[in-house]
Amino acid sequence: LATDARGSRVLQDALGRLSKSQLARASEELAPHLLLMARHPFGNYVASTLAGFEHMHGLMASAFSGELRALLCNPQGSRVVQALLGAMPAAAARDLVAELDDGSLRVVADVARDTHGSWGVIAAFDKTRAPFILASICEHVVPLATQQNGCRVVQAVLKAAAQGGMDIGAAVSGLIAGGLEHLATHSFANYAVQVALRHASAPQREAMANELLPRLLALSASKHGSNVAESVLSLAQQPQLDQMCETVFGPLGAPAVPPGDALRGLMEHPFGNYVLQTLVRRVAEPRRRADAIDKLRAATAPSNYGRSILARLGAE
């Protein structure tokens, strides 16, 4: 019944209405088939429903023992494992996912590269905060960050780890060593760089900013790099912002016309103009901000984004 399309729906609806004795009998009958059900196109929905019953946690963990990696990389199996992890206590979840810790730090990284496995790894870390999962992500951070599914895991794990007070320094160091400018302009890795900027320790954030700020104009010309450029500016210290203003707008009080190459390039670029807006918003000193606005007005032309920039800054 559980592996039949209609029967699966009937069972899912019925399980929640059974008495304790009826549920016990149904569970006893289904228990030997849990692994099969977890992989089945229809049976997985019944297995996911069963995961919500406390007395099934141990039975399901036993049934999945030795098969967790394969289940996580299976579209149906991953859904069932995620449901089980979400329902069971953290200690039991840690025991379940410990199977992925083979000492090499490779298993988690391999699973994280899989579409379905990536969501399973995220669910496993959200529930358990298992150090070996974080260690695996840190060890393989660059190859994971440059892969679509792996990058999803890097972002989620680093964010959750940092918010939970865990040390993500090894991952940040790996990104720095992996070539920040290249990663910042990568279609997937740029998101990992942004997460690292937001959650790194102050010294590592400063190290990232010091490496990326001199390349800000180049980053601004890239669809993905411009997002990182905005993140860098949003976290930069005032002396760093003052230096960037000098690069873009020239010395305070210098003639507004003609605009320098840096300002003209940012104003004309479909991505760079957003970076320019972020820079001006971060300027704290009134004279410097007024000077920047004056130079933006003077450089505004039909061929650039000047009017849009000024409007978004409330300075039309």
Side-chain angles (χ1 to χ4, degrees):
L1 192 62
T3 55
D4 173 76
R6 183 172 181 278
S8 174
R9 288 194 294 270
V10 170
L11 268 177
Q12 293 171 65
D13 292 337
L15 285 171
R17 298 195 299 268
L18 296 179
S19 66
K20 287 187 178 180
S21 60
Q22 290 173 324
L23 182 59
R25 287 199 300 272
S27 300
E28 185 178 350
E29 181 178 339
L30 292 170
H33 310 290
L34 286 170
L35 185 58
L36 170 65
M37 290 165 56
R39 293 183 171 127
H40 195 275
F42 306 126
N44 80 91
Y45 295 106
V46 178
S48 294
T49 302
L50 289 170
F53 297 101
E54 185 177 353
H55 74 279
M56 291 299 299
H57 295 168
L59 291 172
M60 295 182 77
S62 297
F64 299 163
S65 179
E67 300 289 338
L68 192 62
R69 176 177 180 174
L71 283 172
L72 286 172
C73 294
N74 176 276
Q76 290 80 33
S78 180
R79 184 184 299 118
V80 175
V81 172
Q82 290 177 62
L84 180 58
L85 288 169
M88 66 194 332
R94 282 192 289 271
D95 291 339
L96 178 64
V97 303
E99 179 180 315
L100 301 175
D101 184 10
D102 69 341
S104 70
L105 301 181
R106 299 178 72 93
V107 174
V108 169
D110 289 343
V111 174
R113 291 183 176 94
D114 179 81
T115 300
H116 309 292
S118 65
W119 294 110
V121 171
I122 291 169
F125 190 73
D126 279 345
K127 187 70 176 191
T128 68
R129 295 296 193 268
F132 78 89
I133 295 179
L134 175 59
S136 180
I137 302 308
C138 291
E139 178 72 16
H140 302 279
V141 66
V142 172
L144 286 175
T146 52
Q147 196 259 357
Q148 184 175 11
N149 299 313
C151 185
R152 179 187 304 125
V153 176
V154 170
Q155 293 176 73
V157 169
L158 294 188
K159 181 179 178 180
Q163 290 175 342
M166 301 176 75
D167 183 8
I168 64 168
V172 178
S173 295
L175 291 171
I176 294 172
L180 270 182
E181 184 178 0
H182 165 68
L183 296 174
T185 57
H186 192 276
S187 56
F188 303 130
N190 79 90
Y191 297 108
V193 173
Q194 292 178 65
V195 169
L197 278 165
R198 286 193 294 270
H199 297 286
S201 65
Q204 284 190 313
R205 185 183 300 119
E206 184 176 359
M208 293 179 74
N210 287 339
E211 184 166 337
L212 290 170
L213 277 170
R215 305 298 302 155
L216 200 76
L217 296 180
L219 292 175
S220 300
S222 158
K223 176 180 180 180
H224 306 294
S226 63
N227 294 326
V228 175
E230 288 190 70
S231 293
V232 173
L233 289 175
S234 68
L235 296 166
Q237 301 299 310
Q238 200 58 50
Q240 295 171 317
L241 293 169
D242 290 342
Q243 184 177 358
M244 187 52 56
C245 282
E246 188 90 5
T247 300
V248 173
F249 295 106
L252 188 64
V257 180
D261 290 341
L263 178 58
R264 184 170 58 250
L266 290 172
M267 292 182 71
E268 292 175 353
H269 201 279
F271 307 129
N273 81 90
Y274 289 101
V275 179
L276 184 57
Q277 293 172 46
T278 300
L279 175 61
V280 177
R281 286 193 188 98
R282 290 291 330 273
V283 175
E285 207 278 312
R287 286 193 310 146
R288 169 58 83 178
R289 181 180 173 85
D291 181 75
I293 295 295
D294 287 344
K295 289 173 180 175
L296 281 169
R297 286 199 184 101
T300 294
S303 59
N304 62 35
Y305 292 89
R307 289 189 64 186
S308 175
I309 295 169
L310 291 167
R312 290 176 181 272
L313 293 171
E316 262 189 315

